[in-house]
């Protein structure tokens, strides 16, 4: 069993820095596209054999040190009662966006085994398949990031509806956050009980908030979720995109690992976060579109700067792009594994 990933999460000594890539199963791989040509994205997420198959592709093809469950952060929004679609042009679309008290009241806090059994079945298949290989990461959207999709009805540029609710009707926003947080705790606990060995919370949009609003309206929910999940004794990773202005707050989240995007220098991030957490990140995904030399150089720079952290898991600063040549992703994994700490 390659346990470098779990060890680095806990800040234990490792023989090489572990690496995995956010969105490592995806369209940049022809093997993924082949599976996707037969089923739509949501069917893929809801068919355990296929979801497990694509989860395993990057383990075999890239040689990464962890697997991440193939699913999507919006699956629980559907289970809460919203209509979910993935369109080719607009990406995810959630029908009847949540803007009123009655809409929030209608949302349910789903039982995972009842309403998302396919997620747990996928995890169970994967744990068998991954035996003696690498650990499995489960995940969910962080409450604020999920709330943005539920309030906007999909992806957004200025988050006008989210922020209008936050500033005009903070009580309503807080009610929605409470319900999403309860769902997230139930959902990730179920994933852990089914066999997930680490869980990651994706806060893809927290970086659009002022530090003050993040700290007061969003962070208490993060702390609450992490405090409950930590009792289940698996490492918790908290990834924030555009994290630079929020790291001094995120440091107090209780997470074992803080995932950081590429807009902040790794050395600076480590200094801000201190010695009590491990770090994950933070190569700009676009560097994988560059030359092998550029990939080597940027990878080593991050590894060197992260060497003073309690622990480091190498990753991209956000998801891998569909335009990425697979051989560059392989070269990245090799470069991380070949790096010798001085
Ligand atoms: O990391 C992995 O390999 C696991 C799978 C995974 C997916 N989505 C598969 C996916 C994970 C961890 C996610 C998380 C997710 N989903 C996030 C948080 C991380 C981030 O990227 O910020 C968000 C915001 C979503 C919502 C989402 N799903 C969007 C906005 C889109 C459309 C944009 C896009 O990349 O197409 C998706 C679709 C999606 N989720 C795809 C995959 C592989 C592409 C769908 C396809 O095959 O057509």
């Amino acid at each position: 069993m390659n346990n470098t990933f779990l060890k680095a999460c806990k800040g234990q000594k490792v023989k090489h820095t572990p690496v995995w890539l956010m969105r490592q199963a995806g369209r940049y791989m022809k093997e993924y596209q082949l599976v996707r040509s037969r089923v739509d994205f949501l069917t893929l997420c809801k068919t355990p054999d296929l979801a497990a198959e694509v989860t395993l592709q990057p383990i075999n093809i890239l040689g990464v040190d962890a697997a991440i469950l193939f699913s999507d952060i919006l699956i629980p929004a559907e289970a809460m009662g919203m209509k979910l679609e993935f369109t080719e042009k607009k990406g995810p679309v959630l029908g009847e966006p949540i803007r009123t008290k009655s809409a929030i009241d209608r949302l349910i806090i789903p039982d995972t085994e009842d309403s998302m059994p396919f997620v747990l079945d996928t995890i169970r298949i994967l744990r068998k398949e991954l035996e003696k290989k690498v650990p499995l990461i489960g995940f969910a959207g962080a409450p604020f990031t999920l709330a943005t999709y539920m309030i906007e009805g999909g992806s957004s540029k200025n988050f006008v509806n989210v922020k209008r609710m936050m500033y005009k009707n903070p009580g309503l926003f807080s009610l929605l956050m409470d319900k999403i947080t309860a769902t997230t705790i139930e959902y990730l606990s179920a994933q852990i009980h089914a066999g997930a060995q680490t869980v990651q919370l994706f806060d893809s949009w927290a970086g659009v908030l002022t530090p003050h609003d993040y700290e007061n309206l969003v962070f208490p929910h993060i702390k609450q979720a992490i405090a409950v999940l930590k009792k289940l004794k698996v490492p918790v990773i908290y990834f924030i995109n555009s994290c630079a202005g929020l790291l001094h707050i995120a440091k107090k989240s209780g997470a074992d690992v803080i995932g950081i995007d590429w807009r902040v220098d790794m050395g600076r991030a480590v200094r801000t976060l201190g010695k009590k957490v491990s770090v994950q990140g933070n190569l700009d995904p676009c560097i994988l579109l560059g030359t092998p030399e550029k990939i080597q150089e940027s990878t080593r720079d991050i590894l060197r700067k992260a060497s003073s952290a309690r622990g480091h898991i190498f990753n991209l600063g956000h998801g891998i792009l569909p335009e990425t040549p697979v051989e560059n992703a392989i070269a990245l994994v090799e470069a991380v594994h070949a790096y010798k700490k001085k």
Side-chain angles (χ1 to χ4, degrees), residues 221-241:
H221 298 272
I222 291 291
K223 277 216 306 213
Q224 187 203 343
I226 293 174
V228 178
L229 294 169
K230 290 246 314 200
K231 293 193 189 132
L232 302 178
K233 305 271 183 246
V234 307
V236 178
I237 307 175
Y238 178 38
F239 165 73
I240 312 179
N241 189 26

Side-chain angles (χ1 to χ4, degrees), residues 246-263:
L246 306 176
L247 278 182
H248 62 290
I249 306 165
K251 178 183 176 173
K252 298 174 269 182
S253 69
D256 300 271
V257 184
I258 300 291
I260 61 177
D261 65 288
W262 69 92
R263 301 166 191 87

Side-chain angles (χ1 to χ4, degrees), residues 148-162:
T148 67
Y149 286 96
M150 293 172 70
I151 298 169
E152 297 293 339
S155 303
S156 177
K157 196 163 153 230
N158 293 322
F159 301 91
V160 170
N161 295 295
V162 179

Side-chain angles (χ1 to χ4, degrees), residues 140-143 146 179-189 201 225 229:
L146 201 54
K179 224 158 180 176
I180 300 175
T181 304
T183 297
T184 307
I185 291 172
E186 195 318 296
Y187 182 54
L188 287 179
S189 302
L201 280 166
L229 294 169

Side-chain angles (χ1 to χ4, degrees), residues 60-109:
N60 302 325
I61 296 166
L62 307 181
V64 285
D65 300 289
I68 180 159
L69 164 74
F70 189 85
S71 186
D72 198 85
I73 63 160
L74 300 178
I75 296 279
E78 183 179 48
M80 290 178 84
M82 297 187 78
K83 191 171 168 302
L84 172 64
E85 270 182 303
F86 280 86
T87 61
E88 211 58 56
K89 277 213 187 88
K90 283 198 288 179
V93 179
L94 284 165
E96 297 184 46
I98 308 298
R99 310 265 167 89
T100 59
K101 168 106 179 16
S102 58
I104 296 173
D105 288 342
R106 279 195 298 274
L107 292 170
I108 60 158
I109 299 167

